Amino acid sequence: MFIAGALAVCAMILPGISGAFILLLIGAYDVLLSAISTLDMKVLAVFALGAVCGLLSISRILKWLFSRYHALTVALLTGFIFGSLAKLWPWKVAGENVLPMAYEREAHALAVLGLMILGTVVIVGFEKMRGKGAYR
């Protein structure tokens, strides 16, 4: 469970990768769910300790990667995000991605577009603030 905690939190830090999916892949999801429902503090403590160690490790690795290979690291993380878009696409019919116009229920396309624009504005704003030395 220690390794499961470390791997899950590392996956949660990286964009486009699901920590719960990693737990499913390594067979720890059901064990952790059972420990949560029965409040098995031993299992939860070992998992939490692994999560803390994983968080500290992945943050140091990412810091090192950004300091030495910034453009390549950004490209890799962007690839993770783009790779996950097919699963995150909100409009699906029978498990297949469709355009909002072909969606059977109300698509809320304007709301989604508005939130996309808002997210872009926030990110660009943070980047402009960083360029002016507003935060480090």
Side-chain angles (χ1 to χ4, degrees), residues 36-50:
I36 291 170
S37 65
T38 62
L39 292 177
D40 185 346
M41 290 304 182
K42 282 184 181 177
V43 173
L44 294 175
V46 171
F47 182 84
L49 188 61

Side-chain angles (χ1 to χ4, degrees), residues 84-100 102-103:
S84 68
L85 286 179
K87 287 293 180 190
L88 295 174
W89 187 255
W91 301 289
K92 296 182 186 300
V93 173
E96 295 292 322
N97 293 339
V98 297
L99 292 175
Y103 193 61

Side-chain angles (χ1 to χ4, degrees), residues 9-129:
V9 80
C10 289
M12 289 178 204
I13 297 300
L14 298 172
I17 301 176
S18 166
F21 184 65
I22 296 297
L23 290 174
L24 279 171
L25 286 177
I26 62 175
Y29 189 84
D30 290 331
V31 175
L32 185 61
L33 201 58
S34 174
I36 291 170
S37 65
T38 62
L39 292 177
D40 185 346
M41 290 304 182
K42 282 184 181 177
V43 173
L44 294 175
V46 171
F47 182 84
L49 188 61
V52 168
C53 290
L55 181 63
L56 294 174
S57 299
I58 194 68
S59 64
R60 287 183 182 198
I61 291 168
L62 284 173
K63 182 179 179 180
W64 182 83
L65 286 171
F66 273 119
S67 70
R68 288 182 174 63
Y69 308 102
H70 186 270
L72 192 59
T73 304
V74 170
L76 176 69
L77 296 177
T78 303
F80 287 161
I81 293 169
F82 281 131
S84 68
L85 286 179
K87 287 293 180 190
L88 295 174
W89 187 255
W91 301 289
K92 296 182 186 300
V93 173
E96 295 292 322
N97 293 339
V98 297
L99 292 175
M101 292 76 67
Y103 193 61
E104 296 169 348
R105 290 176 266 159
E106 190 174 358
H108 302 287
L110 287 178
V112 172
L113 181 62
L115 290 171
M116 287 171 53
I117 291 169
L118 176 64
T120 302
V121 167
V122 167
I123 289 171
V124 169
F126 279 143
E127 285 298 315
K128 286 188 184 233
M129 286 172 48

